[in-house]
Amino acid sequence: MSGIIQLLPDHVANQIAAGEVVQRPASVVKELVENAVDAKATEIKLIVKDAGKTLIQVIDNGLGMNVTDARLCFERHATSKIRHAEDLFALHTKGFRGEALASIAAVAHVELKTKQDQEELGIHIIIEGSKLVTQEVAVLPKGTSFLVKNLFFNIPARRNFLKSDNVELKHIIDEFERVALAHPAISFTMISNGSEVFNLPSSNYRQRIVNIFGGKTNEKLVPVAEETEILKISGFVGKPEFAKKNRSEQFFLVNNRFIRSPFLHHAIMNAYDGLLRDNNQPSYFLYLEVPPHTIDINIHPTKTEVKFDDEQALYAILRSTVKHSLGMFNVAPVLDFERDATLDVPYDYKNKTSSTPLIQVDSTFNPFATETETKRYSGSSASYAKSTPSQPHWESLYTDLKQDTFEVSTTSFENEVVASKLFDETQVESQTLMYQFNRKYIIKSMKSGLLVIHQNRAHQRILYEQFLTNITVHQASSQQLLFPLEIQFSREEMMYLKEIQPNLEGIGFAFEKMGFDEVVISGLPAQILDTEVNAILHDLIYNLQENLPEDSFSLSDSISKFMAKSVAVKSGKYLNTIELENLVNGLFACKDPNVSPFNKPIFITLTTEDLDKRF
Ligand code: ADP
Ligand code: MG
């Protein structure tokens, strides 16, 4: 009697296995580029279209394959890299499972062209969904080209599951950077939808890092070097003052392979203890070499996690090496034994220059001119819903208000309760019956009770609606800068910037130049100061990277939101009577004055009855 168990046909087994290896276009990029590295290529070129959904091509000048191998490489467990189980403990190659090509061929249309140096002719093979379509000899240059089209053509569910092009491209760039960082001697190029994203010549580690992350990176790097029996460390860590809000510049490369290790990351954070502003992340590019038999990279199919024999020892060595390098860099220039350590300025204040408070008067302001247009709050928000939020006159008064916002945010006053005085003297005379309380809330009396407004959220709402309108109608005025601003970005940040350039222009940015790793800005939105723009744009890109929106409306929405968040007046900022009034008027001229762009309540009301009940 025959049983019910059957062996799965190869193409089905391959498709199932593909689920492990090929999650998204970036996985294909990783496998193909790593194969090219293993084939000892000195030049590798990556071409993608539509974030790899339509096409991924990797061209190398490596060893190539002969006819037999060119057919065999698509079989499962077909590899030239290991022969015996013991080889797993002495790995010198990226690949070893012999699964990648079989998996890719199971879920895409694949074209392989390859030729070995000593051969006259090469071979051209087309495989679709594991089935051989053609195989012929061809005149080819030395090396290999893999072309992968229509990924997941036969698994619609998978294809639909892919994220927007922005998101998928970010994953591809991440994989590309990791391999490129590990192999600076190999020259790499990446082209996306016809334009060059990276062009990295053969170089050393330092130059490779700078070529990927932008010219400014060079000055941030502190060299790290240590050699012990169980671990050799080289590479660079970032100077603490350049620490970023995100973890995009943190790389461990163990035996030339990018790995993730929360444990080793912790060792680095420990070495930076006391040197970082809260929650900031240091950059590090650390190359670790350990004897191959002391690590197991076999615990995860996509191989970014490894197991070390003696983690504790590695932790200790890494921590003290990094600490030592940071110390050298900090102490060497000032060997001053007389110095009283208690006089040292804490990190947060080290770079702050003291400034004379200055009073700015906006001479163009005429309090009477706006009388007819500035609608005063009368207790009913409905009466303001109709008014246009686009050009409120109180904007002109914001010139001096904005001056301080950046400073406040960098010295993290945000949540501090600064003034304990109940009311500022300037407001005693106030007929408006409006007070700023604790430099955080605006309290306004109305006929029916009290209105308590969150100043930061109110301003976020006003700015958000302005930005969103301006992006959509593309009519914002731009203030021309006398001296154009040059701002540096990493290659990856530049990709995002180019993507959102039209939106930013809608808000009022004018770009004179969009280079490889820098932009020149010649005009700014009225709401943004030139001293803030660097931080605001970096913040914006960081936020978009973290939560990349799927469609263009949500992209505009997110840009407006995050921009409003960084530009808005912070809690802790003193506002004078006129500023208070403008803020309140501006708020109630908004389409939705109730909640902030991040859906938090902006104000609460305390009615006379509420108060009566409490007495
Ligand atoms: P693995 O890399 O784990 O061995 P793959 O499925 O990625 O498995 O590749 C199978 C084999 O195909 C490799 O072992 C190698 O011999 C050959 N191969 C793949 N890509 C290339 C390439 N770009 N140049 C030369 N040989 C290659
Ligand atoms: Mg491989």
Side-chain angles (χ1 to χ4, degrees), residues 8-233:
L8 287 173
D10 262 1
H11 70 276
V12 180
N14 281 341
Q15 228 185 66
I16 294 169
E20 285 261 289
V21 184
V22 188
Q23 280 123 9
R24 51 179 8 130
S27 340
V28 175
V29 168
K30 173 180 192 288
E31 295 298 338
L32 296 184
V33 175
E34 287 189 348
N35 278 347
V37 171
D38 284 345
K40 303 197 166 38
T42 57
E43 278 168 37
I44 299 174
K45 186 170 185 176
L46 166 67
I47 300 168
V48 295
K49 280 211 182 97
D50 305 322
K53 292 173 185 168
T54 318
L55 176 139
I56 298 165
Q57 186 175 15
V58 174
I59 305 166
D60 70 54
N61 64 350
L63 298 173
M65 285 178 267
N66 67 19
V67 184
T68 322
D69 286 348
R71 280 295 300 278
L72 249 185
C73 73
F74 292 106
E75 295 296 319
R76 212 136 55 95
H77 308 307
T79 180
S80 55
K81 298 170 193 174
I82 55 171
R83 296 254 179 276
H84 312 284
E86 304 85 74
D87 295 346
L88 276 175
F89 303 101
L91 279 173
H92 295 284
T93 53
K94 310 267 131 187
F96 58 88
R97 290 162 193 268
E99 272 179 339
L101 293 178
S103 301
I104 295 168
V107 293
H109 296 162
V110 180
E111 217 177 308
L112 161 64
K113 291 178 182 167
T114 185
K115 188 185 91 76
Q116 294 182 312
D117 203 15
Q118 69 278 15
E119 302 288 330
E120 281 284 303
L121 290 169
I123 178 156
H124 180 184
I125 290 178
I126 298 180
I127 288 198
E128 295 181 354
S130 298
K131 285 193 209 63
L132 181 74
V133 178
T134 58
Q135 171 178 344
E136 54 199 26
V137 284
V139 179
L140 297 168
K142 167 204 172 195
T144 304
S145 150
F146 273 100
L147 197 133
V148 176
K149 286 188 290 194
N150 308 321
L151 185 63
F152 299 134
F153 76 100
N154 51 359
I155 319 181
R158 267 282 161 127
R159 204 175 161 84
N160 296 337
F161 181 74
L162 291 179
K163 295 277 166 44
S164 69
D165 284 8
N166 285 329
V167 175
E168 295 302 339
L169 193 62
K170 172 166 165 45
H171 286 289
I172 291 179
I173 291 176
D174 284 349
E175 295 295 355
F176 179 88
E177 283 178 356
R178 291 166 187 173
V179 185
L181 275 177
H183 301 278
I186 302 176
S187 79
F188 286 91
T189 331
M190 173 175 168
I191 291 167
S192 163
N193 291 342
S195 58
E196 193 172 271
V197 185
F198 290 99
N199 185 348
L200 311 171
S202 166
S203 58
N204 61 24
Y205 285 119
R206 188 171 193 128
Q207 289 162 337
R208 179 55 53 93
I209 294 167
V210 171
N211 279 330
I212 294 179
F213 296 98
K216 258 234 163 121
T217 321
N218 197 27
E219 65 182 274
K220 300 190 211 173
L221 302 178
V222 179
V224 177
E226 177 62 277
E227 193 161 357
T228 71
E229 247 167 50
I230 56 166
L231 172 67
K232 181 175 170 211
I233 307 173

Side-chain angles (χ1 to χ4, degrees), residues 14 29 107 136 192 238 296 331 367 429 479 517 536 603:
N14 281 341
V29 168
V107 293
E136 54 199 26
S192 163
D296 181 1
V331 177
E429 95 301 330
Q479 32 173 12
D517 58 3
I536 289 175
F603 61 85

Side-chain angles (χ1 to χ4, degrees), residues 396-422:
S396 61
L397 298 167
Y398 262 61
T399 31
D400 104 88
L401 177 80
K402 284 182 293 171
Q403 202 90 59
D404 278 335
T405 50
F406 180 53
E407 218 176 279
V408 170
S409 65
T410 52
T411 48
S412 53
F413 271 134
E414 170 117 41
N415 297 316
E416 272 175 47
V417 177
V418 177
S420 51
K421 277 185 280 175
L422 197 54

Side-chain angles (χ1 to χ4, degrees), residues 196-362:
E196 193 172 271
V197 185
F198 290 99
N199 185 348
L200 311 171
S202 166
S203 58
N204 61 24
Y205 285 119
R206 188 171 193 128
Q207 289 162 337
R208 179 55 53 93
I209 294 167
V210 171
N211 279 330
I212 294 179
F213 296 98
K216 258 234 163 121
T217 321
N218 197 27
E219 65 182 274
K220 300 190 211 173
L221 302 178
V222 179
V224 177
E226 177 62 277
E227 193 161 357
T228 71
E229 247 167 50
I230 56 166
L231 172 67
K232 181 175 170 211
I233 307 173
S234 56
F236 303 88
V237 292
K239 293 179 189 167
E241 67 263 36
F242 292 106
K244 298 164 66 106
K245 286 209 178 119
N246 62 45
R247 297 185 51 180
S248 63
E249 290 183 5
Q250 300 185 339
F251 296 87
F252 285 119
L253 297 128
V254 176
N255 296 358
N256 285 334
R257 184 192 297 277
F258 169 83
I259 62 136
R260 264 179 248 278
S261 169
F263 187 70
L264 296 184
H265 171 74
H266 193 269
I268 308 281
M269 294 308 280
N270 206 312
Y272 274 91
D273 195 24
L275 296 171
L276 299 168
R277 268 181 257 161
D278 38 16
N279 292 332
N280 274 7
Q281 293 288 332
S283 304
Y284 55 81
F285 309 89
L286 291 169
Y287 299 87
L288 313 184
E289 276 171 55
V290 298
H293 65 270
T294 64
I295 54 169
D296 181 1
I297 46 179
N298 205 9
I299 56 174
H300 193 270
T302 51
K303 298 171 293 213
T304 52
E305 281 160 29
V306 299
K307 236 172 90 56
F308 296 98
D309 271 1
D310 194 353
E311 278 201 323
Q312 299 295 342
L314 299 192
Y315 185 101
I317 299 170
L318 193 59
R319 193 185 78 111
S320 68
T321 308
V322 171
K323 224 181 161 120
H324 178 73
S325 297
L326 288 171
M328 293 274 286
F329 141 75
N330 261 335
V331 177
V334 273
L335 272 180
D336 180 358
F337 298 107
E338 308 277 337
R339 200 180 53 175
D340 181 353
T342 55
L343 293 178
D344 278 359
V345 188
Y347 180 80
D348 271 11
Y349 294 92
K350 234 186 344 209
N351 297 324
K352 239 176 91 71
T353 48
S354 60
S355 58
T356 328
L358 73 165
I359 301 165
Q360 280 203 350
V361 181
D362 183 347

